[in-house]
Amino acid sequence: MWFHNLQIYRIPAPWAISAEQLEAFLAKRVFAPCSSLEMQTQGWTSPRDSGQLVHIVDRQMLIALRTEKKLLPASVINQVTKDRAAEIESEQGFAPGRKQLKDLKEQVTDELLPRAFSQLRTTHVWIDPVNGWLIVDVSSPSRAEDALKLLLASVDKLEASGLRTVHSPLTSMTDWLVADEAPSGFTVDQDTELRANGEGKATVRYIRHTLEVDDTRRHIAAGKQCTRLAMTWNDRISFVLTEGLAIKRIAPLDVIKEESDPTNRNDSERFDGDFLLMTGELNKMLNDLVFALGGEPAV
C-alpha cells in the first residue's frame, strides 16, 4: 500500500507511546455509525479489518480514521421548510415568525435525516515513532486537521506540530526554477504553477509541459512565485510539492515496483512488505527534502 498524499506533522522522536498503549487510547473513541439524528460521526477503525486499531510493521504504525456523513443538502431542507411554511401561513392566516421558522427547519431536518444517504470515508495515518513523522494521507489540510484533532483528543499528552523548515517551499521552488537547478537528489518534472502576489493573483500552470527556463524566469521576474512543483526523488518517487509543504500525487516508480515482488506472498505479507517499503522510502525522501529546504529551525 502506498499513500497518495502527505500532510506532514512532527512528533517527538523516539516516541514514547507503544503500539499497545496507542491501541488502548484509540479504543476509547472507536467509530460508531450515525444515529438517525446525527449528521456526522468520526472514530478509529481497524486499518486492516483485523479488529486491531493499530497495525504495526517493524515499529512503523498505521491507524485509520472512519468518518460517516449524512448527505442532506441545505437546499433540500430549505425547500421543504419553505413548503411547510406556506402550508402553515394558509392555515393560520399569517406567515410564520422567525422563531417558528427556526423550529420548523429543525423539525424538517430531524424528519429527513433518517432517509438521507450516508457517505463513508477512511483516512489513513502513518506514525513513525523512530524518526518522528506523523503523516496523514489526504490532499486537504482541513481533513488532516480533523484526523489530528481526534488523535490529540484520543491520546493523552500527545505532542504534534506541523513540519517547519528554514526556507519556505515557495521561496525555494522559485529559486530552483530561476537557477534551473534542482537540489541534490531531485529533478524537476513537467508540472508547475506560478502565481502572482497581487490582487488579481494571476496564475500560470504548466501541465505535462517542458519548462522553458526563459519562460519561467520571465514570469518570476514579473512577480510570480512557484506555488506547486512536480519533482522526482532519486528516480524512485515522483510527487508534487506545494507552497504549504504538503506533498501530493505520490507515485512509486518502476525501480521501486520491481523491489515489491508479490511472488509467493499472501495478501497480508504483500501489504506488510509494501507498507515497510513505503515508510522506508518516504522517510529517506522526507529527510532529503527537509535538507533541501534548509533543515528544520532550531527550537
Side-chain angles (χ1 to χ4, degrees):
M1 66 95 64
W2 274 82
F3 280 22
H4 300 293
N5 304 280
L6 308 182
Q7 299 289 339
I8 310 167
Y9 300 92
R10 274 304 207 177
I11 56 176
W15 204 41
I17 298 173
S18 67
E20 292 76 16
Q21 291 171 319
L22 182 58
E23 180 86 23
F25 282 128
L26 300 187
K28 300 174 185 177
R29 295 176 180 267
V30 172
F31 171 78
C34 290
S35 69
S36 60
L37 297 179
E38 289 180 306
M39 283 290 291
Q40 178 174 298
T41 60
Q42 287 186 318
W44 303 108
T45 190
S46 174
R48 291 290 292 143
D49 296 324
S50 63
Q52 297 294 312
L53 298 175
V54 181
H55 185 74
I56 184 166
V57 184
D58 192 24
R59 297 184 292 175
Q60 301 298 308
M61 302 179 190
L62 181 69
I63 61 176
L65 171 66
R66 176 71 57 85
T67 302
E68 181 181 11
K69 184 177 182 179
K70 293 288 186 68
L71 301 179
L72 186 56
S75 59
V76 173
I77 297 174
N78 292 337
Q79 184 59 54
V80 176
T81 301
K82 182 179 179 181
D83 294 342
R84 296 275 183 88
E87 293 174 5
I88 291 173
E89 181 177 358
S90 177
E91 293 171 358
Q92 65 186 18
F94 57 90
R98 182 177 299 177
K99 184 179 185 304
Q100 192 176 7
L101 278 175
K102 180 176 181 294
D103 293 341
L104 181 60
K105 188 172 184 178
E106 291 177 355
Q107 178 185 338
V108 167
T109 302
D110 291 344
E111 290 177 8
L112 294 178
L113 261 178
R115 290 179 281 164
F117 288 105
S118 292
Q119 181 184 65
L120 284 172
R121 184 176 66 222
T122 301
T123 301
H124 288 97
V125 181
W126 159 39
I127 299 173
D128 181 346
V130 180
N131 300 291
W133 299 113
L134 193 157
I135 308 292
V136 187
D137 181 14
V138 288
S139 60
S140 163
S142 62
R143 282 180 56 190
E145 287 296 320
D146 285 345
L148 182 62
K149 285 177 183 176
L150 188 62
L151 192 59
L152 289 168
S154 303
V155 180
D156 291 345
K157 299 179 180 178
L158 172 63
E159 297 179 38
S161 59
L163 174 65
R164 295 170 58 240
T165 54
V166 171
H167 305 306
S168 74
L170 190 72
T171 300
S172 297
M173 292 187 295
T174 304
D175 289 344
W176 298 337
L177 290 180
V178 169
D180 190 25
E181 184 176 359
S184 177
F186 295 87
T187 56
V188 171
D189 296 337
Q190 293 184 320
D191 290 15
T192 192
E193 178 181 277
L194 299 165
R195 189 178 66 218
N197 292 323
E199 186 175 333
K201 293 191 180 297
T203 303
V204 175
R205 294 187 180 93
Y206 293 85
I207 300 175
R208 293 187 294 276
H209 190 288
T210 301
L211 304 183
E212 298 293 342
V213 178
D214 290 342
D215 287 345
T216 54
R217 284 175 177 169
R218 185 175 67 253
H219 286 300
I220 292 169
K224 296 183 180 68
Q225 291 180 294
C226 183
T227 55
R228 294 169 62 93
L229 186 63
M231 305 178 75
T232 293
W233 170 73
N234 280 343
D235 296 324
R236 299 178 71 81
I237 298 174
S238 67
F239 63 94
V240 173
L241 177 63
T242 75
E243 62 179 317
L245 198 45
I247 297 177
K248 301 185 177 184
R249 285 172 33 194
I250 290 174
L253 303 183
D254 289 343
V255 64
I256 288 183
K257 294 177 181 178
E258 291 169 1
E259 294 174 12
S260 179
D261 183 4
T263 305
N264 296 325
R265 293 195 297 172
N266 58 37
D267 288 343
S268 179
E269 291 172 338
R270 186 179 305 117
F271 182 94
D272 287 355
D274 288 347
F275 179 61
L276 193 58
L277 179 62
M278 179 196 78
T279 56
E281 293 293 324
L282 290 182
N283 175 57
K284 289 183 284 188
M285 186 189 83
L286 288 171
N287 285 330
D288 285 354
L289 182 59
V290 168
F291 181 79
L293 294 171
E296 298 177 71
V299 178

